[in-house]
Protein backbone atom coordinates (compact mmCIF):
# COMPACT_ATOMS: atom_id res chain seq x y z
CA UNK A 1 0.00 0.00 0.00
CA UNK A 2 1.35 3.39 -0.98
CA UNK A 3 1.44 5.98 1.75
CA UNK A 4 2.52 8.75 -0.60
CA UNK A 5 1.86 9.59 -4.25
CA UNK A 6 3.79 12.20 -6.17
CA UNK A 7 4.89 12.89 -9.74
CA UNK A 8 8.66 12.61 -9.30
CA UNK A 9 10.62 10.96 -6.45
CA UNK A 10 14.07 12.49 -6.13
CA UNK A 11 16.65 10.35 -4.35
CA UNK A 12 19.21 12.70 -2.76
CA UNK A 13 18.86 16.21 -1.30
CA UNK A 14 22.21 17.61 -2.45
CA UNK A 15 22.34 20.52 -4.89
CA UNK A 16 21.21 18.39 -7.88
CA UNK A 17 18.17 16.96 -6.10
CA UNK A 18 17.10 20.18 -4.41
CA UNK A 19 17.55 22.29 -7.56
CA UNK A 20 15.58 19.72 -9.56
CA UNK A 21 12.69 19.87 -7.07
CA UNK A 22 12.79 23.66 -7.40
CA UNK A 23 12.78 23.62 -11.24
CA UNK A 24 10.00 21.02 -11.35
CA UNK A 25 7.87 23.03 -8.91
CA UNK A 26 8.25 26.09 -11.17
CA UNK A 27 6.79 23.92 -13.98
CA UNK A 28 3.92 22.76 -11.74
CA UNK A 29 5.36 19.26 -11.17
CA UNK A 30 5.23 17.83 -7.62
CA UNK A 31 8.13 15.93 -6.12
CA UNK A 32 9.16 14.19 -2.93
CA UNK A 33 12.85 14.12 -1.94
CA UNK A 34 14.45 11.35 0.15
CA UNK A 35 17.91 11.68 1.68
CA UNK A 36 19.98 9.35 3.87
CA UNK A 37 21.87 12.14 5.64
CA UNK A 38 20.56 14.78 8.00
CA UNK A 39 19.73 18.29 6.80
CA UNK A 40 22.61 19.69 8.90
CA UNK A 41 25.09 17.30 7.30
CA UNK A 42 23.97 18.09 3.76
CA UNK A 43 24.05 21.84 4.47
CA UNK A 44 27.57 21.76 5.90
CA UNK A 45 29.41 19.69 3.27
CA UNK A 46 32.43 21.57 1.95
CA UNK A 47 32.80 21.44 -1.82
CA UNK A 48 34.35 23.49 -4.62
CA UNK A 49 32.95 26.98 -4.86
CA UNK A 50 33.18 28.08 -8.48
CA UNK A 51 30.08 28.76 -10.56
CA UNK A 52 30.09 29.12 -14.31
CA UNK A 53 28.24 32.04 -15.84
CA UNK A 54 25.49 29.72 -17.14
CA UNK A 55 24.98 28.25 -13.65
CA UNK A 56 24.63 31.74 -12.17
CA UNK A 57 22.22 32.75 -14.96
CA UNK A 58 20.05 29.69 -14.35
CA UNK A 59 19.95 30.09 -10.55
CA UNK A 60 19.08 33.78 -10.96
CA UNK A 61 16.32 33.09 -13.51
CA UNK A 62 14.60 30.66 -11.15
CA UNK A 63 14.58 33.04 -8.19
CA UNK A 64 17.65 31.75 -6.36
CA UNK A 65 19.82 34.77 -7.12
CA UNK A 66 19.23 37.13 -4.18
CA UNK A 67 22.12 36.20 -1.92
CA UNK A 68 24.15 34.95 -4.87
CA UNK A 69 24.03 38.33 -6.62
CA UNK A 70 24.96 40.11 -3.40
CA UNK A 71 27.68 37.80 -2.06
CA UNK A 72 29.25 36.02 -5.03
CA UNK A 73 32.65 37.30 -6.01
CA UNK A 74 33.01 37.76 -9.77
CA UNK A 75 36.39 36.65 -11.09
CA UNK A 76 37.62 37.60 -14.56
CA UNK A 77 39.92 34.57 -14.70
CA UNK A 78 42.61 32.59 -12.90
CA UNK A 79 46.38 32.61 -12.37
CA UNK A 80 48.42 29.72 -13.70
CA UNK A 81 51.94 29.42 -12.42
CA UNK A 82 55.10 27.38 -12.13
CA UNK A 83 58.36 28.35 -10.37
CA UNK A 84 59.35 31.94 -11.21
CA UNK A 85 56.36 32.45 -13.53
CA UNK A 86 52.82 33.59 -12.82
CA UNK A 87 50.38 34.35 -15.65
CA UNK A 88 46.84 35.69 -15.52
CA UNK A 89 44.29 34.24 -17.94
CA UNK A 90 41.49 36.76 -18.39
CA UNK A 91 38.40 34.72 -19.35
CA UNK A 92 36.32 37.85 -19.93
CA UNK A 93 38.79 39.14 -22.53
CA UNK A 94 39.30 35.67 -23.99
CA UNK A 95 35.74 34.36 -24.26
CA UNK A 96 33.46 37.03 -22.81
CA UNK A 97 32.45 35.05 -19.72
CA UNK A 98 33.44 35.30 -16.04
CA UNK A 99 33.26 32.82 -13.15
CA UNK A 100 31.80 33.37 -9.71
CA UNK A 101 33.13 32.30 -6.32
CA UNK A 102 30.19 31.20 -4.19
CA UNK A 103 30.51 28.10 -2.01
CA UNK A 104 28.42 25.04 -2.71
CA UNK A 105 27.55 25.22 0.99
CA UNK A 106 25.89 28.60 0.31
CA UNK A 107 23.93 27.27 -2.67
CA UNK A 108 22.75 24.35 -0.58
CA UNK A 109 21.52 26.75 2.12
CA UNK A 110 19.71 28.90 -0.47
CA UNK A 111 18.06 25.78 -1.90
CA UNK A 112 17.02 24.44 1.51
CA UNK A 113 15.50 27.84 2.42
CA UNK A 114 13.67 28.18 -0.91
CA UNK A 115 12.28 24.65 -0.81
CA UNK A 116 11.23 24.95 2.81
CA UNK A 117 9.38 28.19 2.05
CA UNK A 118 7.56 26.39 -0.77
CA UNK A 119 6.53 23.46 1.47
CA UNK A 120 8.67 20.89 -0.33
CA UNK A 121 8.50 17.40 1.23
CA UNK A 122 12.04 16.20 2.06
CA UNK A 123 12.51 13.01 4.10
CA UNK A 124 15.94 13.24 5.76
CA UNK A 125 17.82 10.45 7.54
CA UNK A 126 16.07 7.63 5.72
CA UNK A 127 17.53 4.11 5.50
CA UNK A 128 17.04 1.05 3.26
CA UNK A 129 16.18 3.13 0.18
CA UNK A 130 15.17 0.83 -2.71
CA UNK A 131 13.88 1.55 -6.22
CA UNK A 132 11.11 -0.56 -7.78
CA UNK A 133 9.33 -1.05 -11.13
CA UNK A 134 11.51 1.44 -13.02
CA UNK A 135 10.45 -0.13 -16.32
CA UNK A 136 6.78 0.60 -15.60
CA UNK A 137 5.09 4.00 -15.64
CA UNK A 138 4.36 3.63 -11.90
CA UNK A 139 7.83 3.28 -10.37
CA UNK A 140 8.21 3.56 -6.61
CA UNK A 141 10.77 4.12 -3.90
CA UNK A 142 10.60 2.37 -0.52
CA UNK A 143 12.55 3.43 2.56
CA UNK A 144 12.48 3.50 6.34
CA UNK A 145 11.91 7.01 7.63
CA UNK A 146 13.76 8.69 10.50
CA UNK A 147 11.14 7.39 12.92
CA UNK A 148 11.62 3.81 11.81
CA UNK A 149 8.40 3.55 9.72
CA UNK A 150 8.47 1.63 6.42
CA UNK A 151 7.22 3.90 3.62
CA UNK A 152 6.48 3.76 -0.08
CA UNK A 153 6.29 6.67 -2.53
CA UNK A 154 4.72 5.90 -5.90
CA UNK A 155 5.48 8.27 -8.76
CA UNK A 156 5.60 8.72 -12.52
CA UNK A 157 9.38 8.95 -12.55
CA UNK A 158 12.38 8.57 -10.24
CA UNK A 159 15.49 10.72 -10.41
CA UNK A 160 18.69 9.48 -8.77
CA UNK A 161 20.65 12.44 -7.43
CA UNK A 162 22.25 10.25 -4.79
CA UNK A 163 25.90 10.43 -5.75
CA UNK A 164 28.26 7.59 -6.43
CA UNK A 165 27.34 5.56 -3.33
CA UNK A 166 23.54 5.74 -3.60
CA UNK A 167 21.33 2.94 -4.92
CA UNK A 168 20.19 4.67 -8.14
CA UNK A 169 23.22 4.15 -10.34
CA UNK A 170 23.29 0.42 -9.59
CA UNK A 171 19.59 0.12 -10.52
CA UNK A 172 20.39 0.78 -14.19
CA UNK A 173 20.78 -2.60 -15.92
CA UNK A 174 23.32 -3.04 -18.74
CA UNK A 175 25.31 -0.20 -17.35
CA UNK A 176 28.63 0.73 -18.88
CA UNK A 177 31.16 2.73 -16.95
CA UNK A 178 34.48 4.43 -17.52
CA UNK A 179 36.97 5.09 -14.74
CA UNK A 180 40.27 6.78 -14.13
CA UNK A 181 41.88 6.94 -10.72
CA UNK A 182 44.81 9.25 -10.17
CA UNK A 183 47.96 8.42 -8.20
CA UNK A 184 47.54 11.45 -5.92
CA UNK A 185 44.96 13.13 -3.66
CA UNK A 186 44.12 16.67 -2.58
CA UNK A 187 44.79 17.79 0.97
CA UNK A 188 42.12 20.48 1.50
CA UNK A 189 42.66 23.19 4.09
CA UNK A 190 40.22 25.85 5.26
CA UNK A 191 41.78 28.81 7.10
CA UNK A 192 40.50 31.92 8.85
CA UNK A 193 42.61 34.36 6.89
CA UNK A 194 41.96 36.86 4.11
CA UNK A 195 42.93 35.45 0.70
CA UNK A 196 46.44 36.47 -0.38
CA UNK A 197 45.21 36.77 -3.97
CA UNK A 198 42.34 38.43 -5.85
CA UNK A 199 41.71 35.39 -8.08
CA UNK A 200 42.48 31.66 -7.81
CA UNK A 201 46.09 30.52 -8.24
CA UNK A 202 46.71 27.09 -9.81
CA UNK A 203 50.37 26.27 -9.20
CA UNK A 204 52.54 23.60 -10.78
CA UNK A 205 55.53 22.87 -8.55
CA UNK A 206 58.15 20.06 -8.46
CA UNK A 207 56.95 19.21 -4.91
CA UNK A 208 53.38 18.86 -6.21
CA UNK A 209 50.40 20.95 -7.26
CA UNK A 210 48.92 23.65 -5.00
CA UNK A 211 45.74 25.73 -5.33
CA UNK A 212 44.90 28.96 -3.56
CA UNK A 213 41.13 29.40 -3.52
CA UNK A 214 38.82 31.32 -1.22
CA UNK A 215 35.42 31.30 0.45
CA UNK A 216 35.01 34.93 1.60
CA UNK A 217 36.95 38.08 2.48
CA UNK A 218 38.14 36.39 5.67
CA UNK A 219 38.24 32.68 4.76
CA UNK A 220 40.75 31.07 2.40
CA UNK A 221 40.71 27.59 0.90
CA UNK A 222 43.88 25.77 -0.11
CA UNK A 223 44.76 22.43 -1.63
CA UNK A 224 48.05 20.52 -1.75
CA UNK A 225 48.78 17.51 -3.92
CA UNK A 226 49.65 14.63 -1.57
CA UNK A 227 50.17 10.87 -2.03
CA UNK A 228 47.04 8.69 -1.88
CA UNK A 229 46.35 7.47 1.63
CA UNK A 230 47.83 10.55 3.34
CA UNK A 231 46.50 11.03 6.87
CA UNK A 232 45.47 14.71 7.25
CA UNK A 233 46.54 14.60 10.91
CA UNK A 234 50.08 13.65 9.90
CA UNK A 235 50.92 17.22 8.80
CA UNK A 236 51.57 19.95 11.37
CA UNK A 237 50.15 23.42 10.71
CA UNK A 238 53.69 24.68 10.08
CA UNK A 239 54.34 21.95 7.54
CA UNK A 240 51.13 22.90 5.73
CA UNK A 241 51.99 26.62 5.59
CA UNK A 242 55.59 25.91 4.56
CA UNK A 243 54.41 23.66 1.72
CA UNK A 244 51.83 26.21 0.58
CA UNK A 245 54.40 29.02 0.73
CA UNK A 246 56.94 27.04 -1.30
CA UNK A 247 54.52 25.76 -3.92
CA UNK A 248 52.55 29.00 -4.31
CA UNK A 249 55.74 31.07 -4.65
CA UNK A 250 55.88 33.09 -1.43
CA UNK A 251 58.57 35.75 -1.85
CA UNK A 252 58.61 35.68 -5.64
CA UNK A 253 58.15 39.07 -7.32
CA UNK A 254 57.07 40.55 -4.02
CA UNK A 255 54.09 38.18 -3.53
CA UNK A 256 53.53 36.88 -0.01
CA UNK A 257 51.24 34.23 1.44
CA UNK A 258 49.51 35.20 4.67
CA UNK A 259 49.04 32.20 6.99
CA UNK A 260 46.17 31.92 9.49
CA UNK A 261 44.23 29.63 11.79
CA UNK A 262 43.45 26.30 10.09
CA UNK A 263 39.81 25.37 10.82
CA UNK A 264 39.32 22.26 8.69
CA UNK A 265 41.51 19.69 6.96
CA UNK A 266 40.61 16.67 4.86
CA UNK A 267 42.13 14.49 2.16
CA UNK A 268 40.10 13.95 -1.01
CA UNK A 269 40.84 11.16 -3.49
CA UNK A 270 40.71 12.14 -7.15
CA UNK A 271 38.89 10.17 -9.79
CA UNK A 272 37.02 10.39 -13.05
CA UNK A 273 33.96 8.22 -13.56
CA UNK A 274 31.19 8.18 -16.17
CA UNK A 275 28.27 5.76 -15.99
CA UNK A 276 25.96 5.29 -18.98
CA UNK A 277 23.16 5.44 -19.89
CA UNK A 278 21.79 8.19 -17.64
CA UNK A 279 18.27 6.85 -18.03
CA UNK A 280 16.55 3.49 -17.94
CA UNK A 281 12.77 3.35 -18.21
CA UNK A 282 11.40 5.80 -15.68
CA UNK A 283 14.69 6.16 -13.76
CA UNK A 284 16.94 9.11 -14.61
CA UNK A 285 20.36 9.94 -13.12
CA UNK A 286 21.74 13.43 -12.51
CA UNK A 287 24.97 14.80 -11.02
CA UNK A 288 27.45 12.59 -9.16
CA UNK A 289 25.13 9.58 -9.44
CA UNK A 290 26.17 9.42 -13.10
CA UNK A 291 29.60 11.04 -13.17
CA UNK A 292 32.50 12.09 -10.97
CA UNK A 293 35.17 14.55 -12.03
CA UNK A 294 38.39 15.37 -10.19
CA UNK A 295 38.08 18.82 -8.57
CA UNK A 296 40.67 20.54 -10.78
CA UNK A 297 38.60 23.07 -12.72
CA UNK A 298 35.62 22.87 -10.33
CA UNK A 299 33.21 21.22 -12.77
CA UNK A 300 31.26 18.88 -10.45
CA UNK A 301 28.58 21.25 -9.23
CA UNK A 302 28.24 22.99 -12.60
CA UNK A 303 27.72 19.64 -14.32
CA UNK A 304 25.03 18.69 -11.80
CA UNK A 305 23.27 22.01 -12.45
CA UNK A 306 23.48 21.45 -16.22
CA UNK A 307 22.02 17.93 -15.86
CA UNK A 308 18.97 19.08 -13.92
CA UNK A 309 18.50 22.08 -16.22
CA UNK A 310 18.04 19.58 -19.07
CA UNK A 311 16.07 17.10 -17.02
CA UNK A 312 13.39 19.39 -15.55
CA UNK A 313 11.81 20.36 -18.91
CA UNK A 314 12.28 16.77 -20.17
CA UNK A 315 10.33 15.34 -17.21
CA UNK A 316 7.66 18.02 -17.42
CA UNK A 317 7.06 17.18 -21.09
CA UNK A 318 7.16 13.43 -20.39
CA UNK A 319 4.45 13.76 -17.74
CA UNK A 320 2.31 15.63 -20.26
CA UNK A 321 2.73 12.78 -22.75
CA UNK A 322 5.63 14.04 -24.87
CA UNK A 323 8.64 11.71 -24.40
CA UNK A 324 11.00 13.34 -26.91
CA UNK A 325 13.20 15.36 -24.54
CA UNK A 326 13.29 12.52 -22.00
CA UNK A 327 14.31 10.09 -24.74
CA UNK A 328 17.20 12.38 -25.70
CA UNK A 329 18.25 13.24 -22.12
CA UNK A 330 21.05 10.71 -21.65
CA UNK A 331 22.70 11.42 -24.98
CA UNK A 332 22.40 15.20 -24.65
CA UNK A 333 23.65 15.29 -21.06
CA UNK A 334 26.56 12.96 -21.83
CA UNK A 335 27.95 15.29 -24.49
CA UNK A 336 28.63 17.90 -21.84
CA UNK A 337 29.66 15.27 -19.28
CA UNK A 338 32.41 13.99 -21.57
CA UNK A 339 33.57 17.53 -22.38
CA UNK A 340 33.94 18.30 -18.66
CA UNK A 341 35.47 14.87 -18.03
CA UNK A 342 38.13 15.66 -20.59
CA UNK A 343 38.70 19.20 -19.33
CA UNK A 344 39.08 18.19 -15.68
CA UNK A 345 41.37 15.27 -16.64
CA UNK A 346 43.43 17.66 -18.77
CA UNK A 347 43.76 20.30 -16.04
CA UNK A 348 44.60 17.56 -13.52
CA UNK A 349 47.27 15.88 -15.60
CA UNK A 350 48.79 19.21 -16.66
CA UNK A 351 49.21 20.42 -13.08
CA UNK A 352 49.98 17.39 -10.88
CA UNK A 353 53.54 16.18 -10.78
CA UNK A 354 54.42 12.52 -11.23
CA UNK A 355 57.67 10.59 -10.89
CA UNK A 356 58.08 10.57 -14.64
CA UNK A 357 60.47 13.27 -15.98
CA UNK A 358 58.86 12.99 -19.44
CA UNK A 359 55.50 14.03 -17.89
CA UNK A 360 57.24 17.02 -16.32
CA UNK A 361 58.48 18.31 -19.66
CA UNK A 362 55.05 17.84 -21.29
CA UNK A 363 53.37 19.65 -18.39
CA UNK A 364 55.69 22.64 -18.57
CA UNK A 365 55.31 22.76 -22.34
CA UNK A 366 51.51 22.84 -22.02
CA UNK A 367 51.66 25.51 -19.33
CA UNK A 368 53.85 27.70 -21.53
CA UNK A 369 51.47 27.12 -24.43
CA UNK A 370 48.23 27.99 -22.61
CA UNK A 371 49.82 31.12 -21.12
CA UNK A 372 51.43 32.40 -24.33
CA UNK A 373 49.05 31.46 -27.15
CA UNK A 374 45.74 33.35 -27.35
CA UNK A 375 44.14 30.35 -29.03
CA UNK A 376 45.27 27.87 -26.40
CA UNK A 377 44.31 30.27 -23.60
CA UNK A 378 40.86 30.74 -25.14
CA UNK A 379 40.35 26.97 -25.20
CA UNK A 380 41.08 26.71 -21.50
CA UNK A 381 38.94 29.77 -20.77
CA UNK A 382 35.97 28.46 -22.80
CA UNK A 383 35.96 25.21 -20.83
CA UNK A 384 36.65 26.75 -17.42
CA UNK A 385 34.08 29.53 -17.73
CA UNK A 386 31.70 26.91 -19.09
CA UNK A 387 29.99 25.98 -22.31
CA UNK A 388 26.32 26.87 -22.73
CA UNK A 389 23.84 24.53 -20.94
CA UNK A 390 22.66 22.87 -24.14
CA UNK A 391 26.21 22.17 -25.41
C1 LIG B 1 37.50 25.34 -4.14
O1 LIG B 1 37.43 26.54 -3.86
O2 LIG B 1 37.18 24.47 -3.32
C2 LIG B 1 37.98 24.94 -5.48
C3 LIG B 1 38.22 25.91 -6.43
C4 LIG B 1 38.69 25.56 -7.67
C5 LIG B 1 38.91 24.23 -7.97
C6 LIG B 1 38.66 23.26 -7.04
C7 LIG B 1 38.19 23.60 -5.78
O3 LIG B 1 39.39 23.90 -9.19
Amino acid sequence: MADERTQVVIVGAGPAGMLLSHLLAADGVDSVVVETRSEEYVAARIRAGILEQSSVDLLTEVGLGDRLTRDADKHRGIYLQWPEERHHLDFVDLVGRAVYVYGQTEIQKDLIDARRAAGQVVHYEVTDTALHDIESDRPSVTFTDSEGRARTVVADAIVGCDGSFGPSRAAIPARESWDRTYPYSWFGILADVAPSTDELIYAWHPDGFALHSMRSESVSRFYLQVPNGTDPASWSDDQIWDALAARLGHGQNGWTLQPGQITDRSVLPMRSHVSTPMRHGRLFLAGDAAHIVPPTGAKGLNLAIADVALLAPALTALLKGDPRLADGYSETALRRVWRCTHFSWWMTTMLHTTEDPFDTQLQLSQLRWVTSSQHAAAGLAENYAGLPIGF
Side-chain angles (χ1 to χ4, degrees), residues 104-318:
Q104 176 169 326
T105 324
E106 305 312 311
I107 293 177
Q108 186 73 39
K109 282 185 202 141
D110 294 345
L111 282 165
I112 289 173
D113 289 349
R115 298 317 299 138
R116 179 175 294 123
Q120 174 70 41
V121 179
V122 185
H123 297 283
Y124 286 101
E125 297 179 75
V126 308
T127 51
D128 312 317
T129 310
L131 283 55
H132 310 274
D133 304 320
I134 59 168
E135 289 175 359
S136 79
D137 57 9
R138 284 288 174 277
S140 63
V141 171
T142 54
F143 59 93
T144 305
D145 72 15
S146 59
E147 260 123 58
R149 279 185 305 243
R151 305 183 69 126
T152 305
V153 187
V154 177
D156 301 297
I158 302 174
V159 182
C161 301
D162 47 347
S164 49
F165 301 112
S168 301
R169 176 193 289 176
I172 301 230
R175 201 160 57 89
E176 225 183 322
S177 58
W178 287 266
D179 283 285
R180 172 71 37 106
T181 52
Y182 301 88
Y184 32 74
S185 299
W186 272 17
F187 187 5
I189 292 117
L190 202 60
D192 276 340
V193 61
S196 297
T197 178
D198 57 341
E199 297 189 346
L200 273 60
I201 305 172
Y202 288 81
W204 183 96
H205 191 276
D207 296 348
F209 168 73
L211 171 62
H212 187 335
S213 182
M214 57 198 72
R215 287 290 177 272
S216 70
E217 276 169 22
S218 55
V219 178
S220 297
R221 178 77 170 150
F222 300 94
Y223 298 97
L224 289 165
Q225 176 186 344
V226 291
N228 287 342
T230 297
D231 174 4
S234 66
W235 287 56
S236 70
D237 286 10
D238 284 348
Q239 279 174 313
I240 291 172
W241 289 114
D242 287 350
L244 287 169
R247 298 187 195 184
L248 290 168
H250 173 83
Q252 279 166 34
N253 302 312
W255 183 78
T256 55
L257 174 68
Q258 183 63 44
Q261 180 69 37
I262 294 174
T263 57
D264 190 84
R265 40 164 87 200
S266 58
V267 169
L268 336 164
M270 318 255 291
R271 71 188 182 108
S272 299
H273 171 91
V274 180
S275 181
T276 68
M278 287 173 65
R279 178 223 182 152
H280 181 82
R282 288 289 177 106
L283 170 63
F284 298 79
L285 302 181
D288 287 4
H291 40 73
I292 301 288
V293 288
T296 332
K299 286 290 155 211
L301 174 60
N302 292 291
L303 258 188
I305 292 174
D307 283 352
V308 298
L310 283 176
L311 191 50
L315 287 172
T316 305
L318 179 68

Side-chain angles (χ1 to χ4, degrees), residues 62-81:
V62 298
L64 294 164
D66 291 357
R67 224 159 54 91
L68 178 62
T69 312
R70 200 182 63 225
D71 296 346
D73 198 8
K74 179 176 176 173
H75 286 197
R76 293 182 65 95
I78 57 168
Y79 297 97
L80 270 182
Q81 72 170 49

